[in-house]
Amino acid sequence: MDASKVYFYDNLSNLKAGVNKIFKMIADEVDIEETMGIKIHFGEGDNDTHVNPNHLRDVTKYFKKPVFVECNVLYRGNRLRKDSHLKQAADHGFDFIEIDILDGEMGEDYSEIEIETKNTKKAKIGRGLKKYDNLISIAHFKGHIVSGFGGALKNVGMGLGSRGGKLDMHAGVSPKIDEANCIACGSCAEQCPADAITVDNFAVINQEICIGCAQCIAVCPEGVIKIPWGTRPTNEFLEKIAEYTLACVKDKNWWYINFLTDITMKCDCVGSKQEPFMKDIGILFSKDPIAIEKASMNLIIERNNGVNPFKTHNKNSIHILKYGEEIGLGTMKYELENVK
Ligand code: SF4
Ligand code: SF4
């Protein structure tokens, strides 16, 4: 496979101008009348190192119908449900264009996209993604405690998984109930689409019939239905993110923008402020999600005195790029071209 082009804009005093140049490059490739979905993470709670929405404000000059697209998250927080998710997006300044939460009120609305990969045959993706043919991933590149780093692949593959898809990537099939703190209210059993929960003194999930939709996690008023984080081997977790990305990009046009700014050790799902640990680098743009991730990591290592800062999280985070190549998402070979 030939090397992919990755564009690099590093005028840190005017990142908005760089974004506009990239939007113009994308706009030249599409019909301006068509809807442009923009997948972005709005940042959880007090997080303030997510992508700064002010850099994106000129988007309507380049696309007539830009829409921020996102799915609800797995864990308890502001982005667990559509209403509080939209409020979170507005609180962080992303309400200047339409926002479309693709997987319903509580992550229950998904379609299964069939792919032929090692770990995934049917990826559970927010149903609303079907409406979009053209999409831009705008990702904040930073560390992640399990995957090592998070950028375009995590933004698309993990981000657009429905709640059940996210559970599938993280942990396998079923959530676990903290029986000692269950108040036996029955809400989970009422909402379970597979009738997999019975409640007596406490709720019990029948693992044989649970379909892993994770709906019960969202409805439990006590927060005692837990995601068994980390029960999936890490390489398989990384492979699943790549596989879900493949499902999301299937039959669609995607462009990828990575912000290498406010680079933190943990992801934007952490609902508290984090201190960036290194200087800003700039913005990268590519049509290849593997090439842009590789270029992002290389720049970070180069500017961090040759040391991968995320190796404390995961020494083998590069596995997602190798595997992404194997399943045809792109190539780690890239040519970096400066955007002036
Ligand atoms: S127990 Fe029911 S609601 Fe919970 S994940 Fe399984 S199928 Fe979904
Ligand atoms: S919703 Fe939560 S507290 Fe209520 S029965 Fe289910 S697990 Fe227990």
Side-chain angles (χ1 to χ4, degrees), residues 167 173-175 188 191-197 205 209-217:
L167 182 65
V173 186
S174 295
C188 55
Q191 296 289 330
C192 175
D195 287 333
I197 305 178
I205 295 176
I209 55 176
C210 168
I211 58 170
C213 68
Q215 202 58 16
C216 49
I217 296 170

Side-chain angles (χ1 to χ4, degrees), residues 265-290:
M265 283 304 287
K266 293 181 186 167
C267 70
D268 300 344
C269 297
V270 175
S272 55
K273 291 185 193 300
Q274 299 180 63
E275 276 304 310
F277 65 88
M278 63 186 293
K279 287 183 182 158
D280 289 353
I281 296 174
I283 309 169
L284 293 179
F285 166 60
S286 182
K287 286 197 78 170
D288 183 329
I290 301 297

